[in-house]
């Protein structure tokens, strides 16, 4: 594993992961499409499922514990020093618009996984103060209103999908908790 040295004895970057592997993964993910000649992945399409499986493999390679939720969203988690703390949520979307660019959703996914992989191989992952969760949404175009550090806001359309009994609740956080109890802040 090579690194750059900016100060004597201080190693910072892992270009084979943060550059070479990341670019290769962007290209590989960009080839996973339901269309011929352009990139298109819609909610739960065959390409979306293949892409989710590929991303789950990359998360596991980075040392994350992974799972799929009821909607097919891919999650990877590192517990850190305080597993009971609220998780820092990092993520992006897996679906694309029609004729999407290679970076549509993928750049956020790959950079998060690559950064955590470097922390893992350098032995720093266990020193994180709180859990970190990489969440890959399968239907972002319709569901996710905004993503900010430590906060997720969902549109009413998405909340309808999250409600197992079909009823809306006044507190939307209750609906989010159905999928992932205790680790997501709701706006």
């Amino acid at each position: 594993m090579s690194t750059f040295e900016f100060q004597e004895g201080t190693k910072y970057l892992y270009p084979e992961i943060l550059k070479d592997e990341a670019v290769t993964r962007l290209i590989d993910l960009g080839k996973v499409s339901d269309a011929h000649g352009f990139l298109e992945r819609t909610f739960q399409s065959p390409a979306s499922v293949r892409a989710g499986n590929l991303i789950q493999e990359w998360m596991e390679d980075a040392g994350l514990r992974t799972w799929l939720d009821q909607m097919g969203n891919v999650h990877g988690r590192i517990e850190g020093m305080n597993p009971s703390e609220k998780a820092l949520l990092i993520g992006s979307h897996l679906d694309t618009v029609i004729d999407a660019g290679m970076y549509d959703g993928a750049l956020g996914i790959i950079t998060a996984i690559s950064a955590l992989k470097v922390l893992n191989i350098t032995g720093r992952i266990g020193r994180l103060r709180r859990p970190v969760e990489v969440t890959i949404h399968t239907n972002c175009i319709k569901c996710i209103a905004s993503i900010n550090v430590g906060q997720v806001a969902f549109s009413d359309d998405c909340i309808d999908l999250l409600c197992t009994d079909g009823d809306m609740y006044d507190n939307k956080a209750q609906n989010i908790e159905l999928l992932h109890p205790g680790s997501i802040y709701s706006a």
Side-chain angles (χ1 to χ4, degrees):
M1 209 58 52
S2 64
T3 60
F4 295 140
E5 290 193 29
F6 292 110
Q7 296 176 355
E8 187 176 337
T10 304
K11 298 179 180 181
Y12 288 95
L13 299 177
Y14 287 76
E16 63 282 347
I17 295 170
L18 296 174
K19 184 184 86 168
D20 303 337
E21 183 177 86
V23 169
T24 299
R25 287 177 171 180
L26 281 168
I27 292 167
D28 290 346
L29 193 56
K31 293 176 184 176
V32 182
S33 178
D34 289 309
H36 298 289
F38 60 92
L39 178 56
E40 179 182 0
R41 282 190 302 267
T42 56
F43 179 65
Q44 292 302 324
S45 69
S48 178
V49 172
R50 286 193 315 272
N53 290 337
L54 189 58
I55 291 165
Q56 190 170 11
E57 288 176 23
W58 294 339
M59 287 179 172
E60 290 168 357
D61 176 58
L64 282 71
R65 176 179 55 89
T66 65
W67 70 96
L68 297 174
D69 67 25
Q70 297 150 326
M71 292 191 53
N73 299 315
V74 182
H75 302 266
R77 185 175 173 101
I78 295 289
E79 296 299 336
M81 294 187 319
N82 302 303
S84 62
E85 288 289 324
K86 297 283 186 179
L88 170 64
L89 180 64
I90 305 171
S92 193
H93 59 95
L94 182 61
D95 61 327
T96 67
V97 296
I98 296 172
D99 201 11
M102 179 175 64
Y103 304 110
D104 185 12
L107 188 59
I109 295 168
I110 302 302
T111 55
I113 294 170
S114 296
L116 289 171
K117 182 174 181 178
V118 168
L119 289 175
N120 191 29
I121 65 170
T122 60
R124 296 178 180 169
I125 203 92
R127 296 192 323 219
L128 294 173
R129 293 183 191 162
R130 62 176 58 247
V132 176
E133 190 166 309
V134 179
T135 301
I136 311 308
H137 306 282
T138 59
N139 197 13
C140 176
I141 303 305
K142 183 174 181 181
C143 286
I144 304 303
S146 67
I147 296 180
N148 298 309
V149 174
Q151 172 177 316
V152 178
F154 291 85
S155 72
D156 286 343
D157 290 337
C158 191
I159 297 301
D160 287 337
L161 293 171
L162 294 174
C163 293
T164 57
D165 60 3
D167 293 332
M168 291 292 289
Y169 293 95
D170 290 336
N171 183 355
K172 292 180 182 180
Q174 291 174 336
N175 300 309
I176 305 306
E177 293 286 317
L178 292 173
L179 290 180
H180 194 68
S183 72
I184 297 178
Y185 296 99
S186 179

